[in-house]
Amino acid sequence: MGPLYSTKVTAKGGRHGSIRSDDGLLNLSLALPKALGGSGGATNPEQLFAAGYAACFENALLRVSREARHHFTDDQVEVVAEIGISRNGEGNFVLSASLAVTLAGVDQATGEDFVHRAHLVCPYSNAIRGNVDVATTVTVR
């Protein structure tokens, strides 16, 4: 069985270049962040990964909560993904990830259960499991 959806994005010029999706909806310049010695001023792959992960994880969270017959409104859920880049012991670049989830209308145990279950079904979580440790925090308000 093939994918339910696929997309193509072409990168030119690496971290100092640009990216463009095949449909043209994504069309951005890239720049190396100042923290890595670049000029900054444009997006970078880590920001794009964080954006995708946050949106995908929030959708997974909404799915598992609906399956548990709990319906959040848009203003009751926030997912902040932080992606870091560093070097490992061999000097190779590696990613780190953390997800800060804020939920309203549930208790702490329920919120943590929803986040745990979302982590099992989120495609981004599944793609990096075993390669990137993902720290999660759950705050209920």
Side-chain angles (χ1 to χ4, degrees):
M1 178 188 263
L4 298 173
Y5 170 76
S6 67
T7 186
K8 292 181 183 177
V9 176
T10 301
K12 293 185 178 179
R15 286 181 169 271
H16 303 281
S18 63
I19 54 173
R20 186 177 193 288
S21 61
D22 58 350
D23 61 8
L25 293 175
L26 180 66
N27 190 0
L28 299 171
S29 295
L30 300 175
L32 189 64
K34 288 183 179 181
L36 296 179
S39 61
T43 194
N44 59 69
E46 291 72 34
Q47 287 176 326
L48 296 167
F49 189 92
Y53 198 179
C56 189
F57 192 86
E58 183 173 359
N59 199 70
L61 184 64
L62 294 172
R63 176 183 165 200
V64 298
S65 66
R66 277 193 312 270
E67 289 172 352
R69 294 186 167 42
H70 184 90
H71 296 274
F72 288 107
T73 59
D74 287 344
D75 64 342
Q76 291 180 309
V77 180
E78 180 183 79
V79 176
V80 178
E82 182 176 349
I83 301 297
I85 188 167
S86 59
R87 290 187 186 267
N88 64 13
E90 292 82 46
N92 298 317
F93 289 106
V94 295
L95 295 177
S96 60
S98 67
L99 298 170
V101 180
T102 304
L103 301 170
V106 294
D107 61 30
Q108 186 71 30
T110 302
E112 289 176 6
D113 180 57
F114 286 164
V115 167
H116 172 75
R117 290 165 52 201
H119 204 29
L120 295 175
V121 301
C122 174
Y124 278 67
S125 293
N126 287 328
I128 65 174
R129 184 170 289 112
N131 296 307
V132 177
D133 290 329
V134 181
T136 57
T137 58
V138 180
T139 304
V140 296
R141 56 175 170 84

